Amino acid sequence: MPLLSHLSALPTLENDLALLETKLENSVVAKDPYLTEIAKHLITAGGKRVRPGFTIASSAIEQQDTIPVAVDVLMGGVAVELVHLGSLYHDDVMDEAEIRRNTPSVNAVWGNHTAILAGDFLLARASEIAASLGTEIAGLLARTIGELCEGQILELQSTFKPSRTEESYEQSIAGKTASLLSTACRIGGLTGGLERDTVDQLTDFGHSYGMAFQIVDDILDVVATEDQLGKPTGNDLIEGVYTLPVLLALESDLGSQLHDLLGKELDTKSRDRALGLIRSTDAVEKAFDRAQYWALKAKASLESLPPSPATNALFAATNHLLEQAHN
Ligand code: GRG
């Protein structure tokens, strides 16, 4: 899905993202063309650029006229996307994923060792760019990388555990997903030279949006088709990651039947049975209510910001997220 369907209310975004794309590709050029090729692999494979899109939109929320954003804003967006990319390289190694962005994953093409080092290289380039934007942004991005790791470690601790709690789930997605969306918006506010209060509101917006974003992603894993997802439906179940719809289904009348299937590796038949059980409860609807709760919180954070094309775009992006889960 193209990013513009998220932030289409911002007329300058397409041009700003085109400029960002060149800077993103240039940012991963290494001495060795072999490393450059590996570091560029997922950049050229696509991706929605949600995080840099949010950096750009956040920086522009006080502008009524359509002017391109400053270079520092674009570089902030590049740093954020590089952290996202680095986390995808590492995540695909951990999951032994074969496909990412509808293309063979880095680990599938070059192996785990190279994928981990190339991911480290992306994080290094992100850190270098963040340092060039000042100590506050450098510290913020470093803290965010730590939060991604904390969220992911928490998730690992509860794999194949049907006893995983909703609190633990929320803590994990706050780290692995919401922290970077929040930081994307904060960096937009900081590089856009906005007042502290405004920067804090954008940070809160990004956090709440990120929580809704991950819950929607987790709902889609249970309800969307393989074609829509670009990976097998119920992939999280197969990996033993029991997300919100699964945890809510475990609390339902069919919970004990579902419980009997979980806690171990699933063959295709058991996965389909587990998916069938989850879908026949109200767990997806309840998970959607939770996504809606976070989306409302996200929009509440935008309410006191000045109305502008960028603020409208952030509102529209939040509404669009919920539509995705409801269709
Ligand atoms: C090395 C920074 C670092 C982290 C290590 C592996 C790990 C810890 C964290 C993984 C975090 C992770 C992959 C979270 C999932 C976030 C998510 C919903 C990704 C999909 O984002 P989209 O939909 O993807 O924006 P595109 O491809 O469009 O960019």
Side-chain angles (χ1 to χ4, degrees), residues 3-240:
L3 170 67
L4 293 180
S5 64
H6 292 259
L7 289 172
S8 52
L10 189 55
T12 43
L13 186 74
E14 194 170 355
N15 191 42
D16 285 332
L17 277 179
L19 294 171
L20 178 129
E21 207 58 29
T22 310
K23 293 186 184 307
L24 185 60
E25 286 196 21
N26 291 342
S27 75
V28 298
V29 173
K31 284 191 213 87
D32 182 354
Y34 175 70
L35 176 54
T36 307
E37 184 193 353
I38 302 163
K40 275 194 183 168
H41 181 72
L42 277 193
I43 296 177
T44 42
K48 299 180 290 294
R49 308 288 185 261
V50 173
R51 295 154 189 82
F54 275 24
T55 304
I56 291 168
S58 296
S59 77
I61 55 145
E62 288 180 355
Q63 279 162 27
Q64 299 307 328
D65 42 357
T66 51
I67 48 168
V69 295
V71 170
D72 276 6
V73 175
L74 293 179
M75 292 317 287
V78 168
V80 164
E81 185 68 9
L82 288 174
V83 170
H84 173 53
L85 285 163
S87 79
L88 298 182
Y89 278 40
H90 287 188
D91 195 48
D92 287 345
V93 169
M94 291 168 63
D95 295 348
E96 299 173 25
E98 299 277 334
I99 303 277
R100 168 72 70 177
R101 294 179 169 171
N102 289 316
T103 305
S105 62
V106 175
N107 46 301
V109 181
W110 288 281
N112 285 348
H113 292 179
T114 300
I116 290 169
L117 286 168
D120 290 343
F121 177 72
L122 298 176
L123 295 179
R125 286 291 160 96
S127 310
E128 201 178 333
I129 293 167
S132 76
L133 297 173
T135 47
E136 179 171 8
I137 290 178
L140 172 62
L141 206 68
R143 187 165 62 248
T144 307
I145 293 171
E147 285 167 355
L148 258 80
C149 294
E150 286 178 325
Q152 190 75 355
I153 284 276
L154 197 60
E155 181 177 287
L156 270 184
Q157 283 172 284
S158 56
T159 46
F160 291 105
K161 288 196 181 135
S163 58
R164 182 185 199 191
T165 62
E166 285 165 41
E167 291 71 31
S168 161
Y169 165 81
E170 288 219 336
Q171 204 184 329
S172 169
I173 68 168
K176 75 168 197 172
T177 305
S179 65
L180 191 54
L181 280 151
S182 177
T183 289
C185 295
R186 188 166 185 85
I187 290 180
L190 291 170
T191 50
L194 304 181
E195 295 284 332
R196 280 286 138 175
D197 281 0
T198 310
V199 171
D200 288 344
Q201 265 163 293
L202 286 165
T203 308
D204 288 348
F205 163 77
H207 171 79
S208 299
Y209 177 93
M211 295 298 284
F213 185 81
Q214 186 60 58
I215 295 172
V216 167
D217 202 64
D218 293 338
I219 291 174
L220 293 178
D221 188 70
V222 171
V223 299
T225 62
E226 185 161 342
D227 257 9
Q228 288 165 324
L229 291 171
K231 58 181 180 176
T233 309
N235 198 48
D236 293 333
L237 274 178
I238 291 169
E239 282 163 8

